[in-house]
Amino acid sequence: MLPNYELKCVKCGYFMEADPWNILCSKCGGLLEPVIVKKPLGVSWPLFRARKFSVWRYKELLPKVRSPVTMGEGGTPLIRLGDDLWLKFEGVNPTGSFKDRGMTVAISLARERGAKNVICASTGNTAASMAAYASRAGLRSFVVLPRGKVARGKLAQAILHGAVIIEVDGPFDVALDAVMMAAGREIGLYPLNSFNPWRLEGQKTLAYEIADELGVPDWIVLPIGNAGNISAIWKGFTELKNFGLINRLPKLAGIQAAGAAPIAKAFKDGRDMPYFTDQPETLATAIRIGRPVNWPKAFKALRESRGVTEVVTDEEISEAHRSLGRMGIGVEPASAASFAGYLKLKGAEIGDDEKVVLIATGHALKDPDAIPHVETVRVSGAEEVASALRRMIL
Ligand code: AN7
């Protein structure tokens, strides 16, 4: 049992024991939220700042584990893009995405609690991250992927780290149904998708790091797929406020691709649940999700923060991808959605003098096929290279 935690169902309010194997409400099947029962003694910014900038800097506010499975995740750079604009570059995590923050926590718990096998459905990044952390932890990993729709770098990582790969026909959502059906304590198969609230406990450190380094911005702009990250970030900020470590909260702007916008479209329309779709489509395959499982948490986060959502087309994503690239920042298309959404919101919902942090969730190398081909300069010898350069420069 985890000290200082209890689990509360966000749907029916039922309380469960804070056990890593308790993942969904045993009464109604709803999502659970780990609640820190009381502020741990001695928690303060100076205490945290005496440690390396990383997920485990904030260990008093995370589930207690004896020996974390860690590769130095978190501590990612906040890159300044403009006077009041920053980008938190999650692409530099050990496996190249923000998922590592959650895996270090949830895989550590799974191993301590006797799991021998772990599983996830994935559009790619969760699979890459889980496979890496599982192999460090000595666990066997199974990944369920939407066939033909996982970016090349991510699939390569899952293979490199030794996962058993199962491909399904249909989108991510079908793969997730399979995991929810198959996982469980009876067969010692631990699920690591974001319906597992212990993984999101790790991801909430994104909020902690932003508050730690910059203070509280006016806006956090991020892509929404399965809606775990937006839920985790909101939990992080609200905890800091409850514990007196910050005195205000940011607003959240959740961005989705036009062909996969069940939450963004519904929230814009003032609805209280998503427009689910069975045929999500976007070139940003990371967020090609039609039935986001964390939608109740995400709607709550958007409402409580007085946030907004925005829908961006694949063309707008590509354009944002390219322009970030020309600023030296290589992200994958889903992460470029943050920037594309920001550009649409700025001057309207986002005021010109407001402080904004964009979350860039994954690295450009994840999805090399999303980077367009260009004509290269073809020459045969050193001599010709030199004269070609003279022609181009002079
Ligand atoms: C780069 O890996 O769902 O809203 O299976 O890889 O928390 O789902 C990935 C999601 C944004 C969306 N950016 O985050 C998976 C998966 C990138 C991502 C998201 C994902 P959530």
Side-chain angles (χ1 to χ4, degrees), residues 98-99 121-126 172 223-229 286-287 289 332 334-335 361-362:
F98 69 101
K99 305 286 182 181
S122 183
T123 57
N125 279 324
T126 303
F172 166 85
I224 299 179
N226 217 14
N229 212 29
I287 52 172
I289 294 174
E332 61 168 286
S335 311
T361 45

Side-chain angles (χ1 to χ4, degrees), residues 16 23 63 103 151 157 186 188 235 256 278 282 287 303 305 313:
M16 292 181 70
I23 287 166
M103 287 304 162
Q157 287 178 293
E186 325 74 62
K235 182 175 198 282
Q256 292 195 300
D278 288 326
T282 167
I287 52 172
R303 267 197 307 270
S305 81
T313 64

